[in-house]
Amino acid sequence: MNSSSQYGDLATQLLTESRRSTATNSLLKYNDVLVRAIVREQRDLEARIEATLARSAAAPDGDDPAPAPAENAYMPTVLLYQTAILRNKRCLLAYHHHRLEFLKDLYWSVGGALPLLLSLPPAAANANAGPNANAQAAAAAATAAAMGAGAAPQDVRSKLSPHEVDFLRNYADSLLRLRVDAFSSAGGFAGAGGGAGDGVTEDIDLLAPIAHPPKDLQVHVRVVRDCGVVHTELGAIDFKRGHRFLVRRSDIEHLIVQGYLEES
């Protein structure tokens, strides 16, 4: 460890990143270098504790109980190292918990469209990516603002660690199973003397935004990006960029959230 720094300084830097992320309402790149440095510091502290306990155990032979005061002399050192270990653990947990909660918010802000979230282009690339990328970024910004999620995420994939990508995928799979098993007229939990899907007469969209309750069943939309043929209550509709439609909100709510359509 550097003599000019103290135990816990690296963990403090990690917490400072979390505070900056909260203050700017943005996702910062996962600091793998700093996390690994804290883990190395943890191992160094554990090695120091073992070495200190080994020295305290190397007491003179004999039946004289005199070594007890010598053992107690090492306890403040052990306590200092152990306190630093516990603080580092708390800081690591707080940093990763903050990031996971932020990722959950981003997931909900795009209506559960995980491929869309992981494929959003970087802000710098939007200027040279053509009208489709600009339209996608603008739609994502409008969606995030409407749902109270702050600025639209940009280039999320490059800011995540591999474990965070796995977490998002597992989180999406868990929500999909919940949606099918508990909130679908064709599924449902079997229990309490009832069969699957008891009490559910129609599908409930868990991913629909609730920040602004809809005032009408029908909604005018403009196609921001081509999304192909979508089967609605009125039949199949081919949503091509630039076209406008009057459709049932529940049929295309997810497309609005994902940035393919926008209300006009």
Side-chain angles (χ1 to χ4, degrees):
M1 182 176 176
N2 192 340
S3 59
S4 63
S5 60
Q6 298 181 353
Y7 290 119
D9 285 351
L10 297 178
T12 300
Q13 296 177 27
L14 207 59
L15 290 184
T16 301
E17 283 198 9
S18 296
R19 293 193 184 99
R20 187 164 68 250
S21 174
T22 301
T24 59
N25 195 23
S26 60
L27 181 66
L28 303 180
K29 184 177 177 60
Y30 183 80
N31 198 331
D32 184 70
V33 174
L34 189 55
V35 170
R36 290 179 182 273
I38 296 174
V39 172
R40 286 195 298 269
E41 181 179 296
Q42 294 286 84
R43 293 173 179 170
D44 176 64
L45 287 167
E46 291 172 355
R48 288 174 179 268
I49 289 179
E50 292 178 359
T52 302
L53 293 177
R55 287 197 302 271
S56 67
D61 296 332
D63 298 332
D64 188 7
E71 292 180 3
N72 293 335
Y74 287 101
M75 286 302 102
T77 302
V78 173
L79 180 60
L80 173 64
Y81 293 153
Q82 184 64 23
T83 301
I85 288 177
L86 294 177
R87 184 181 184 280
N88 284 346
K89 285 183 177 180
R90 289 197 299 270
C91 292
L92 284 170
L93 289 173
Y95 174 75
H96 288 91
H97 178 265
H98 171 267
R99 289 185 63 86
L100 293 184
E101 291 299 317
F102 201 102
L103 290 178
K104 290 179 184 179
D105 291 340
L106 290 181
Y107 175 83
W108 287 96
S109 71
V110 296
L114 184 57
L116 173 64
L117 179 62
L118 295 180
S119 64
L120 286 174
N126 285 340
N128 301 322
N132 288 338
N134 290 328
Q136 179 179 353
T143 300
M147 299 186 67
Q154 300 278 358
D155 196 16
V156 174
R157 182 64 177 268
S158 66
K159 299 177 182 178
L160 304 182
S161 69
H163 296 295
E164 289 176 328
V165 176
D166 292 339
F167 166 79
L168 275 177
R169 288 171 176 162
N170 292 332
Y171 185 69
D173 291 341
S174 298
L175 283 177
L176 179 60
R177 289 196 300 269
L178 175 65
R179 183 180 181 183
V180 172
D181 293 341
F183 296 97
S184 173
S185 57
F189 291 115
D198 284 354
V200 180
T201 58
E202 63 180 65
D203 294 346
I204 300 175
D205 189 1
L206 287 178
L207 304 176
I210 59 175
H212 301 286
K215 298 179 180 180
D216 300 308
L217 295 178
Q218 305 287 334
V219 58
H220 286 276
V221 295
R222 183 175 67 87
V223 183
V224 178
R225 291 188 295 133
D226 293 341
C227 51
V229 178
V230 177
H231 293 276
T232 68
E233 190 179 62
L234 302 177
I237 301 178
D238 187 6
F239 289 98
K240 294 184 177 180
R241 184 171 180 268
H243 291 188
R244 298 176 183 270
F245 299 92
L246 176 64
V247 291
R248 185 179 175 87
R249 179 183 290 274
S250 59
D251 291 336
I252 48 82
E253 187 90 47
H254 62 289
L255 297 176
I256 296 177
V257 174
Q258 295 171 17
Y260 288 95
L261 309 177
E262 69 176 10
E263 296 188 42
S264 58

